[in-house]
Amino acid sequence: MGEDAQRIRQAPLGAGQQNYGPPPAYGPPPAYGPPPGYGAPPAYGPPGYGAPPGYGPPPPGWQPQPWYGGFNGPPGPRPLPPGWAYATFGQRLGAYALDVLLLFASMLVTGLVAVLVRVVLLQVPGVPDAATVVVAVVLSMAGLGAWLWQYTWRQGVRGSSWGKQILGLQVLQVDRLVPLGGGMGILRYVCLHLVSQFTIGVGLLWPLWDVQNQGLHDKIVSSVVVHRTG
């Protein structure tokens, strides 16, 4: 096999042929090391954040914020001044019952007066029967109007209706503990009837489990019913 290869190398070249000579001698592949200038990666230490800034004392004149209840205050009802307490459900119910009795009393009194006036007018010659009916209706409506006035406007301005005044209860603003005002007293009465109709009376029972013994109508207008304890 070696002699045949030697004869092939030594054979004369034909036309168009070139003698490339023996093939190069291939040695072992070069050893590949790290590229020039490549060293170890830099060592990363912890960032230098330093100590947190000192906030120091509060500015002059700063005072702690008052208790507002809800998520910003401690659990439980808002503390009241000494000598005051939240009215219980029984006290509120008793005051409402007195107001209802006073409503019937005012209607009864004005109705009796209307009947008396009607009888007197019927004995007067020339007075038509229709006029006596009008007088009776006006007097009856006057009694209802007086009751509505004391339960809405008067309670808003003075803090209590006739029934609440008898039991020593007051309706006040929940944050300032002052009377609501006449307009808010009317709004509270409207909310009372709306809540009782749309909640089928459940809103009126809300003081049974509320921390401030509020009804849903009280929460709408931000009112609370309190009484003196001493």
Side-chain angles (χ1 to χ4, degrees):
M1 188 71 183
E3 296 177 355
D4 294 337
Q6 186 68 22
R7 287 197 298 269
I8 293 173
R9 293 193 188 96
Q10 296 176 357
L13 298 174
Q17 294 182 348
Q18 296 182 2
N19 186 6
Y20 293 99
Y26 295 99
Y32 294 99
Y38 178 82
Y44 295 98
Y49 291 111
Y55 292 99
W62 182 87
Q63 296 293 333
Q65 297 299 315
W67 192 97
Y68 286 105
F71 295 102
N72 297 325
R78 183 185 191 275
L80 294 175
W84 289 89
Y86 293 107
T88 64
F89 179 77
Q91 291 172 326
R92 294 175 60 130
L93 183 62
Y96 183 74
L98 284 176
D99 281 317
V100 172
L101 290 176
L102 291 173
L103 169 62
F104 284 111
S106 63
M107 294 292 293
L108 178 62
V109 171
T110 54
L112 291 176
V113 173
V115 171
L116 179 61
V117 171
R118 188 168 185 268
V119 170
V120 172
L121 290 178
L122 286 176
Q123 297 178 359
V124 177
V127 176
D129 186 68
T132 61
V133 174
V134 170
V135 171
V137 171
V138 169
L139 290 175
S140 299
M141 295 302 295
L144 177 60
W147 186 87
L148 286 175
W149 166 81
Q150 68 87 26
Y151 200 81
T152 57
W153 186 270
R154 181 184 185 274
Q155 181 167 245
V157 173
R158 302 188 59 178
S160 60
S161 60
W162 292 335
K164 289 184 177 64
Q165 185 174 356
I166 294 174
L167 295 184
L169 307 184
Q170 283 192 296
V171 181
L172 304 176
Q173 296 180 15
V174 70
D175 54 346
R176 299 174 54 197
L177 297 180
V178 295
L180 302 177
M184 292 300 293
I186 296 175
L187 179 60
R188 183 177 182 272
Y189 178 76
V190 173
C191 293
L192 170 65
H193 282 272
L194 292 178
V195 165
S196 63
Q197 291 180 7
F198 284 101
T199 64
I200 317 176
V202 176
L204 301 180
L205 301 177
W206 210 265
L208 288 173
W209 53 79
D210 188 78
V211 294
Q212 293 178 297
N213 299 349
Q214 288 179 296
L216 285 183
H217 58 290
D218 289 315
K219 293 185 177 297
I220 294 174
V221 299
S222 299
S223 64
V224 67
V225 183
V226 297
H227 72 97
R228 288 189 177 273
T229 59

